[in-house]
Amino acid sequence: MNFELSDEQLAFAQLARDFARQDLAPFAAQWDAESIFPVDAFRKGGQLGFCGLYSPEAQGGLGLSRLDSALVFEELAAADPSTAAFFTIHNMATWMLCTWGQPALQAEWGERLTSGEQLASYCLTEPDAGSDAANLKTSARRDGDDYVLNGSKMFISGAGSTDMLVVMVRTGAAGAKGISAIAVPANLPGIRYGKKEEKMGWNSQPTRAIFFDDVRVPVANRLGEEGEGFRIAMKGLDGGRINIATCSVGAAQGALNAAQAYLGERKQFGKALAEFQALQFRLADMVTELVAARQMIRLAASKLDAGHRDASTYCAMAKRFATDAGFNVCNEALQLHGGYGYLRDYPLERLLRDARVHQILEGTNEIMRVIIARRMLEADAPESIR
């Protein structure tokens, strides 16, 4: 792990920063207020490679490392965490299809997804299987050359507006080993979408339930082998946890930038707020927390890129710490703005609302603690995590 970014990494980050400033920031408040899913922005980002950052080059992806990808996601999230988060979800689902899909499936869908021409959703959560994902009930019964899907998913980002669903289904006995992953075109007969959920944040991406009623999907659309779905889903979530942690750091950076500017501009009692030592100390704590979270994410990403045996633990630690720290920084930045921070004229309240859900999704922070503690209490637990 090198703390100094290379010229190539800096160039990727600058490309993302420019895109975020030109194509996300000016519209983020409107997308949030009017619940607009900005398909054109995703397609334009796709032209820059942002829809297939770590997908294989053979399917049109950039084949970047998770560390490199995190640099891009952070810049996008500093302008618009909600839209940036959907970029990460699409990247995760696309990577899964491009990595475990059969050649014909990859040929048909790979470049359409990595280019952003079409978009993908990740479908794991169910009404009775949230944190207990291994208990999912949606079934896929083999019938000749097809699977027949029945069941439901909920809290699915992009549902009803995307083209491909990467769905975890039960093809075998109870438990994790009976789960398979299937790529399901989103417009197949028998698929129904629930109402668009009204949410506290993340309003630039729709969230709906999905219902599968005797949906026939070719066996050739399975990702990996039968029974590998839970393992594939968890591998996707290792990266997804880094991604969503990065979105928290991006949101926090956007909030910190706004707070820095505001402290220099706003005057009280005859002097700028930046001259009050109490506020200087708060700013110092905010940036310290932010840098610590960023470095923890980059450490976890480097472990995942290296295939480290404890990469999942590092990803869980990064997700837990960075999403908590990111939300706290956004909250502090809003407080520094006083009453103005509560107004939609400023980005603080939107950044705060968007960042809050990061502590829940991709595995709640309570589940992250379970993952970390279980590893530390195993017989072959490392003496130290470094």
Side-chain angles (χ1 to χ4, degrees):
M1 182 183 178
N2 188 345
F3 285 92
E4 296 301 322
L5 300 180
S6 68
D7 290 342
E8 185 177 27
Q9 289 172 322
L10 292 171
F12 271 122
Q14 185 63 55
L15 180 67
R17 189 178 306 122
D18 291 342
F19 171 76
R21 288 174 176 172
Q22 295 168 16
D23 296 280
L24 301 185
F27 313 105
Q30 180 188 3
W31 295 340
D32 172 67
E34 300 178 17
S35 296
I36 295 171
F37 187 54
V39 173
D40 289 343
F42 293 121
R43 289 179 178 155
K44 188 167 182 179
Q47 293 171 5
L48 299 173
F50 298 160
C51 287
L53 286 169
Y54 49 88
S55 289
E57 294 181 67
Q59 281 80 53
L62 296 184
L64 296 181
S65 69
R66 298 310 177 94
L67 176 57
D68 293 343
S69 301
L71 303 177
V72 172
F73 292 140
E74 181 180 335
E75 295 296 343
L76 302 183
D80 185 352
S82 172
T83 303
F86 188 79
F87 269 108
T88 76
I89 293 165
H90 171 81
N91 267 271
M92 178 171 64
T94 297
W95 171 76
M96 293 168 72
L97 185 148
C98 290
T99 301
W100 283 283
Q102 297 183 37
L105 182 71
Q106 293 177 354
E108 180 181 3
W109 284 93
E111 291 192 8
R112 289 154 68 178
L113 294 173
T114 57
S115 69
E117 175 189 346
Q118 296 191 302
L119 300 172
S121 292
Y122 175 79
C123 307
L124 175 63
T125 302
E126 296 182 3
D128 296 319
S131 294
D132 185 13
N135 193 39
L136 65 83
K137 299 292 194 298
T138 297
S139 65
R141 174 179 55 84
R142 185 75 177 262
D143 183 19
D145 292 332
D146 291 337
Y147 285 111
V148 181
L149 274 61
N150 283 281
S152 64
K153 300 291 180 180
M154 69 182 303
F155 299 141
I156 305 304
S157 292
S161 299
T162 52
D163 308 285
M164 171 57 72
L165 310 173
V166 175
V167 187
M168 305 305 138
V169 297
R170 186 160 301 284
T171 54
K177 293 183 179 179
I179 296 172
S180 299
I182 301 179
V184 181
N187 60 353
L188 290 181
I191 296 178
R192 281 188 303 114
Y193 295 96
K195 68 178 179 66
K196 185 164 69 172
E197 303 290 357
E198 295 185 9
K199 308 188 298 287
M200 174 180 173
W202 268 32
N203 291 318
S204 71
Q205 48 173 299
T207 301
R208 292 184 173 92
I210 308 178
F211 304 93
F212 302 94
D213 300 309
D214 290 332
V215 178
R216 300 188 74 89
V217 185
V219 171
N221 280 34
R222 188 183 65 227
L223 307 183
E225 300 298 325
E226 276 200 5
E228 287 190 323
F230 191 77
R231 181 180 67 85
I232 291 171
M234 294 303 105
K235 282 186 174 292
L237 282 178
D238 278 343
R241 286 163 182 161
I242 292 174
N243 292 346
I244 214 64
T246 301
C247 286
S248 285
V249 167
Q253 185 66 65
L256 181 66
N257 292 346
Q260 285 178 269
Y262 185 78
L263 291 181
E265 297 165 0
R266 176 72 167 165
K267 295 185 183 298
Q268 290 284 278
F269 305 106
K271 58 182 180 179
L273 294 182
E275 296 181 48
F276 291 89
Q277 191 177 64
L279 302 186
Q280 294 173 4
F281 283 2
R282 292 175 73 170
L283 195 69
D285 287 343
M286 290 161 66
V287 73
T288 300
E289 292 288 307
L290 178 56
V291 170
R294 179 181 292 121
Q295 294 307 325
M296 182 170 277
I297 290 168
R298 293 181 182 180
L299 174 62
S302 69
K303 297 290 186 183
L304 191 59
D305 288 329
H308 192 281
R309 63 170 299 183
D310 286 313
S312 293
T313 307
Y314 281 95
C315 292
M317 288 192 292
K319 195 271 181 182
R320 202 293 298 164
F321 183 80
T323 57
D324 284 347
F327 178 79
N328 290 338
V329 170
C330 290
N331 195 38
E332 283 292 305
L334 189 153
Q335 186 71 19
L336 289 175
H337 279 71
Y340 291 110
Y342 205 64
L343 301 180
R344 291 197 172 182
D345 296 330
Y346 291 78
L348 281 305
E349 59 84 30
R350 175 174 54 82
L351 295 172
L352 182 78
R353 287 185 290 106
D354 284 345
R356 179 60 182 87
V357 75
H358 300 171
Q359 295 166 295
I360 299 171
L361 49 79
E362 309 290 30
T364 66
N365 284 3
E366 289 75 17
I367 291 297
M368 296 305 100
R369 292 180 173 91
V370 170
I371 292 170
I372 298 161
R374 281 179 177 172
R375 177 64 185 122
M376 297 310 297
L377 294 172
E378 288 175 356
D380 63 339
E383 293 184 3
S384 63
I385 293 286
R386 299 179 181 176

